[in-house]
């Protein structure tokens, strides 16, 4: 990203070209997950061989990301957790076995592994030219991980040929827009320079049942989430990156940044305060994203100390209060049942309004 004027240092690549940082601090260890799933014969081997990227692909130095502003980068840790969930889902005889195996991971990282599992479900359905493994996984999870699973499904769309995509109009109209968030994140994480130059991520409108205007905002939320990692959690770099996009997208970009800052963490309360102040007139949007992140962690039972810190600094509320606001602003279920694809965007706006 040589075209970004900043003096922030870049991440140093590991000498071996592979992930050289210590293993993730997880309860059972990432390696133990593979021992808890049965490989599903040659099909599992083929899925893994074709679809699973090497771990160096998520190393911030390999991607050319900025060095983490202070302390060790969380980017590789998050990426390794995601690939653990994704790889486990590709290998496992059933995704229920895979989901159970991932419970050994520490709460800090387990949500990212479930996101990877959502991608695996989408890939497995796509390779079969239709299937119901994603739907079954949603039922099995009891919707505790519904947010992350939908985001993971968006990753699978970015990797699969379009003729293998599922019928998106058959998904839950309220949460399905998170598929667009996942798609936007993927494109920004793996094609950062192109996204920053184009100042957009194109999602094929004919595949999306909602409006083009809403879909662009939802994709931009995913772009903003990815920028948190690209910029190394640096508020100044993030503000500069957001300013390069069309002004009409700034709110959703800041929402994505707030979501990543609250869910993934990696920065202290002082920096989160600087981040919020740097959003200026878009502070309500950074609060909206953070509130969604807090709700996702609380719903899944994966809250960590940083969850409360992020809620206080980015939302001006406790974690419980921020989560409650997302529920109070939730659209009428009758609208969802009627197939109202504007519900998610109006939900975001309602939460932002309450946190203004």
């Amino acid at each position: 990203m040589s075209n970004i004027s900043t003096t922030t240092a870049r991440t140093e690549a590991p000498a071996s070209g592979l992930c050289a940082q210590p293993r993730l601090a997880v309860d059972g260890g990432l390696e133990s997950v593979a021992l808890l799933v049965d490989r599903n014969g040659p099909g599992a081997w083929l899925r893994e061989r074709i679809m699973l990227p090497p771990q160096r692909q998520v190393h911030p130095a390999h991607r050319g990301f900025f060095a983490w502003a202070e302390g060790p980068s969380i980017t590789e840790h998050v990426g390794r957790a995601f690939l653990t969930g994704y790889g486990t889902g590709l290998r496992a005889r059933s995704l229920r076995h895979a989901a159970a195996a991932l419970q050994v991971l520490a709460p800090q990282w387990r949500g990212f592994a479930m996101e990877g599992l959502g991608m695996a479900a989408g890939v497995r359905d796509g390779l079969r030219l239709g299937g119901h493994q994603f739907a079954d996984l949603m039922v099995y999870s009891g919707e505790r991980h519904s947010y992350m699973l939908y985001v993971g499904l968006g990753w699978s769309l970015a990797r699969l040929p379009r003729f293998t995509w599922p019928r998106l109009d058959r998904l839950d109209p309220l949460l399905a827009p998170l598929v667009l968030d996942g798609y936007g994140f993927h494109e920004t994480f793996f094609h950062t320079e192109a996204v920053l130059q184009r100042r957009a991520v194109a999602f094929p409108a004919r595949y999306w049942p909602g409006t083009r205007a809403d879909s662009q905002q939802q994709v931009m939320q995913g772009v903003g989430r990815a920028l948190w990692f690209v910029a190394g959690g640096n508020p100044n770099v993030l503000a500069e990156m957001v300013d390069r996009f069309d002004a009409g997208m700034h709110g959703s970009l800041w929402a994505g940044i707030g979501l990543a800052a609250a869910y993934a963490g990696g920065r202290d309360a002082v920096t989160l305060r600087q981040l919020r102040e740097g959003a200026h007139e878009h502070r309500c949007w950074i609060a909206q994203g953070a509130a969604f992140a807090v709700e996702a962690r609380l719903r899944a039972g994966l809250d960590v100390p940083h969850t409360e810190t992020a809620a206080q600094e980015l939302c001006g509320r406790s974690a419980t209060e921020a989560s409650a606001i997302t529920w109070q602003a939730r659209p009428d279920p009758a609208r969802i049942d009627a197939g109202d694809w504007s519900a998610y965007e109006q939900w975001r706006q309602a939460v932002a309004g309450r946190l203004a």
Side-chain angles (χ1 to χ4, degrees):
M1 290 169 287
S2 57
N3 55 343
I4 297 178
S5 58
T6 177
T7 57
T8 305
R10 301 299 178 87
T11 306
E12 293 295 328
S16 65
L18 299 175
C19 299
Q21 287 187 332
R23 298 293 185 185
L24 278 177
V26 294
D27 296 338
L30 293 181
E31 292 77 12
S32 69
V33 173
L35 302 177
L36 297 175
V37 296
D38 296 325
R39 290 179 181 271
N40 191 16
W45 179 88
L46 184 61
R47 287 194 299 267
E48 183 179 358
R49 184 75 173 177
I50 296 175
M51 302 300 297
L52 184 63
Q55 289 186 358
R56 67 177 177 273
Q57 291 290 330
V58 298
H59 195 285
H62 183 83
R63 303 250 59 88
F65 293 172
F66 289 96
W68 204 249
E70 291 181 11
S73 171
I74 64 166
T75 303
E76 187 192 2
H77 293 341
V78 169
R80 280 173 51 81
F82 181 94
L83 288 181
T84 295
Y86 179 46
T88 301
L90 292 180
R91 299 181 193 107
R93 185 172 299 278
S94 80
L95 292 180
R96 292 191 174 198
H97 288 131
L102 294 174
Q103 300 312 301
V104 304
L105 300 182
Q108 175 70 16
W109 314 112
R110 198 182 309 158
F112 300 107
M114 293 303 296
E115 184 180 348
L117 189 61
M119 180 182 181
V123 166
R124 288 173 69 142
D125 283 345
L127 292 178
R128 292 184 176 187
L129 298 181
H132 50 78
Q133 297 200 48
F134 180 81
D136 289 348
L137 183 60
M138 285 289 296
V139 172
Y140 175 72
S141 74
E143 299 202 354
R144 289 180 298 116
H145 301 288
S146 55
Y147 301 128
M148 304 304 281
L149 292 176
Y150 268 110
V151 170
L153 181 61
W155 278 66
S156 73
L157 300 190
R159 293 283 173 135
L160 289 169
R162 290 177 186 173
F163 73 87
T164 69
W165 285 13
R167 285 277 303 274
L168 300 179
D169 60 349
R170 295 176 177 174
L171 300 176
D172 177 358
L174 181 62
L175 298 184
L178 290 169
V179 171
L180 300 174
D181 182 308
Y183 188 93
F185 183 100
H186 176 280
E187 295 301 280
T188 308
F189 194 92
F190 290 104
H191 308 290
T192 310
E193 201 70 64
V195 170
L196 290 177
Q197 289 178 357
R198 293 195 309 262
R199 300 184 297 279
V201 170
F203 187 89
R206 69 188 183 92
Y207 289 91
W208 187 249
T211 68
R212 184 178 182 84
D214 284 354
S215 69
Q216 289 176 330
Q217 297 293 340
Q218 292 144 15
V219 168
M220 282 297 120
Q221 182 173 271
V223 173
R225 281 198 308 117
L227 292 181
W228 174 251
F229 301 100
V230 173
N234 186 312
N236 294 328
V237 175
L238 284 161
E240 183 179 351
M241 288 180 171
V242 170
D243 283 345
R244 305 179 88 196
F245 289 80
D246 181 82
M249 300 296 169
H250 287 185
S252 292
L253 288 165
W254 280 113
I257 291 167
L259 208 161
Y263 196 95
R267 301 307 311 274
D268 61 16
V270 172
T271 305
L272 293 179
R273 205 170 305 136
Q274 294 172 349
L275 184 71
R276 183 174 182 273
E277 292 304 312
H280 301 296
E281 69 271 23
H282 301 295
R283 287 194 293 267
C284 64
W285 287 107
I286 206 170
Q288 174 260 304
F292 273 31
V294 168
E295 157 59 11
R297 281 206 172 271
L298 293 185
R299 172 185 278 209
L302 300 179
D303 50 307
V304 292
H306 178 79
T307 308
E308 183 64 35
T309 301
Q312 294 284 356
E313 298 300 336
L314 298 180
C315 302
R317 308 285 199 284
S318 70
T320 301
E321 290 169 338
S323 174
I325 285 173
T326 69
W327 278 95
Q328 293 161 7
R330 203 175 176 94
D332 186 340
R335 291 179 56 193
I336 313 306
D337 294 340
D340 184 349
W341 285 85
S342 68
Y344 179 80
E345 192 58 25
Q346 292 178 16
W347 185 22
R348 291 202 318 128
Q349 293 171 6
V351 172
R354 292 180 182 227
L355 292 170

